Amino acid sequence: RKSTRLNSSHLVISYAVFFFFFFNDTATTEIYTLSLHDALPIYTKEHEWVLAAGDAATVGITDHAQEELGDIVYVDLPKVGSRVEQGKSLGSVESVKAVSDVYAPVSGEVTEVNALLADAPEKLNEDPHGAAWLVKIKLSAPEEVPNLMSAADYQTYIGAEK
């Protein structure tokens, strides 16, 4: 059985194809463009992901992080309006194994907290890159975003951790 590993260029093409078909309106000839930083999540060494678009960012923990933690039973997140600073704790995730801090991958103001996780923290185990995002942040220092790891760099990083 042959294993195929996707890299970031595969993801860019997939996103471009998705956006073309999803947003393509036959009544117009408008072409939609997609910035690489606006389309793909980027990562931290502490296993958080960020999906940034303009001055807004959605933050979560990676699939790797939830696998390492095991069954998640509680999530502690900041209040809307809280200021977070890159590299500082913004909350924690409690599993049957341990309590782990979640670090802010970017600086800014929390604009939304995922209410789903208050009643169903186990969603982090089921969909960490989708419905189980943690917080949305209005960026105060957008220049921090390009300094985070690409998907390919993150895969290399977690491979080296093992």
Side-chain angles (χ1 to χ4, degrees):
R1 186 171 142 188
K2 184 178 176 184
S3 175
T4 304
R5 184 173 245 191
L6 294 177
N7 63 33
S8 58
S9 64
H10 291 106
L11 293 173
V12 170
I13 292 167
S14 297
Y15 273 88
V17 169
F18 167 78
F19 275 89
F20 175 77
F21 286 108
F22 186 78
F23 290 110
N24 189 23
D25 179 356
T26 55
T28 72
T29 57
E30 186 172 358
I31 297 173
Y32 292 89
T33 59
L34 195 57
S35 162
L36 181 60
H37 289 295
D38 290 347
L40 302 173
I42 48 182
Y43 302 87
T44 70
K45 290 183 177 181
E46 291 76 29
H47 309 291
E48 290 87 19
W49 58 264
V50 180
L51 189 59
D55 70 345
T58 303
V59 175
I61 65 168
T62 65
D63 187 56
H64 175 76
Q66 71 79 24
E67 284 178 2
E68 293 292 310
L69 285 167
D71 294 335
I72 296 171
V73 296
Y74 181 73
V75 179
D76 180 39
L77 297 173
K79 294 186 182 337
V80 171
S82 299
R83 304 230 12 107
V84 294
E85 185 179 333
Q86 185 180 46
K88 305 285 184 184
S89 179
L90 67 76
S92 62
V93 174
E94 183 177 340
S95 72
V96 295
K97 292 181 182 179
V99 176
S100 181
D101 281 328
V102 176
Y103 297 96
V106 290
S107 301
E109 180 181 338
V110 176
T111 58
E112 191 175 344
V113 174
N114 192 344
L116 168 71
L117 299 176
D119 295 326
E122 68 277 4
K123 290 291 184 189
L124 270 171
N125 293 115
E126 298 166 14
D127 193 11
H129 289 267
W133 54 271
L134 300 176
V135 297
K136 294 188 179 185
I137 297 172
K138 181 176 181 186
L139 300 172
S140 63
E143 65 275 8
E144 294 171 342
V145 173
N147 297 326
L148 300 173
M149 289 187 280
S150 69
D153 291 341
Y154 181 70
Q155 287 302 315
T156 301
Y157 175 73
I158 62 174
E161 269 192 340
K162 295 178 182 177

